[in-house]
Amino acid sequence: MSELLFFVIDFIPYLYFYYIGNILSMLSYAFLLFEICKSVCGFHILKNYKIHVLVLTGLNIYIAYILQEAINPYLELTNEYIIEITYNITMLLLLSVSLLNYFYRGNKKSLFYFFGALCIVFSEVINVAYLYVAHQNALNFISVSLFLLAFYFFYQQSKLENLKVEEIEISTDVN
């Protein structure tokens, strides 16, 4: 829905477009995050992947800091700044949880989730560079292409069943 707002950008004030578009994007990332979290045992992740969680937390903080530093000269501490921080945190959480889901499950569906989330994050980082650093058409093209690739990966994963971890272990033992 967020991407469809581009068709009505000329008919609504920019601030409405900004808030509605970003909130809809954050909601879509939050729903993806929720969908992944439904199939993951949080206790198992925290018990068996402590170092992974620590490293991912550190990387997320670093990437969020870098993104905010790129945006800082253009936005003051206003609602837009808070939206940007929340947006980046939601996006990075999606990436981290999808990677932990892949570690936990190790199947094709979780790999497609991770690739989709990775494409989203790269798309958004390049989009920040396009919007705030350099208005080059190549950056916009790469950003949109990665975003479309993310949809492809999410479509591919939607066609697959999510095997339980025990079923994965049994099927690998048989082979």
Side-chain angles (χ1 to χ4, degrees):
M1 295 292 294
S2 166
E3 297 302 317
L4 295 177
L5 284 177
F6 285 108
F7 293 116
V8 295
I9 192 169
D10 295 331
F11 306 109
I12 59 174
Y14 178 75
L15 276 179
Y16 291 151
F17 169 76
Y18 178 82
Y19 285 119
I20 293 169
N22 282 323
I23 289 171
L24 285 173
S25 292
M26 283 188 287
L27 278 173
S28 67
Y29 297 159
F31 285 132
L32 277 171
L33 186 62
F34 178 72
E35 186 66 29
I36 294 171
C37 287
K38 280 190 335 187
S39 65
V40 174
C41 177
F43 178 73
H44 183 269
I45 295 288
L46 291 175
K47 180 181 173 191
N48 294 316
Y49 299 107
K50 291 175 192 158
I51 300 219
H52 299 80
V53 171
L54 284 173
V55 169
L56 285 172
T57 302
L59 285 172
N60 282 344
I61 290 170
Y62 176 72
I63 293 170
Y65 172 76
I66 294 298
L67 287 172
Q68 288 312 116
E69 284 299 311
I71 294 168
N72 232 4
Y74 304 99
L75 295 177
E76 296 178 21
L77 188 58
T78 59
N79 292 335
E80 289 87 8
Y81 192 80
I82 292 169
I83 290 278
E84 290 291 332
I85 289 172
T86 308
Y87 189 93
N88 291 337
I89 289 171
T90 306
M91 176 185 62
L92 292 170
L93 273 175
L94 174 64
L95 179 65
S96 295
V97 170
S98 67
L99 180 60
L100 290 171
N101 179 46
Y102 178 65
F103 290 157
Y104 177 68
R105 293 209 171 273
N107 61 11
K108 202 177 215 182
K109 183 176 181 81
S110 61
L111 182 63
F112 282 143
Y113 261 131
F114 173 65
F115 283 159
L118 190 64
C119 285
I120 284 175
V121 169
F122 281 148
S123 170
E124 294 295 341
V125 169
I126 291 171
N127 195 38
V128 165
Y130 171 73
L131 292 173
Y132 296 105
V133 179
H135 270 325
Q136 295 181 356
N137 289 336
L139 290 175
N140 192 31
F141 176 77
I142 292 169
S143 176
V144 170
S145 297
L146 284 169
F147 197 73
L148 290 173
L149 190 60
F151 273 101
Y152 169 76
F153 286 126
F154 289 134
Y155 171 73
Q156 289 299 321
Q157 71 77 31
S158 72
K159 297 189 310 185
L160 299 172
E161 290 257 344
N162 209 2
L163 299 175
K164 294 184 179 174
V165 174
E166 297 84 30
E167 294 174 12
I168 295 170
E169 291 170 0
I170 290 170
S171 69
T172 57
D173 290 341
V174 172
N175 296 332

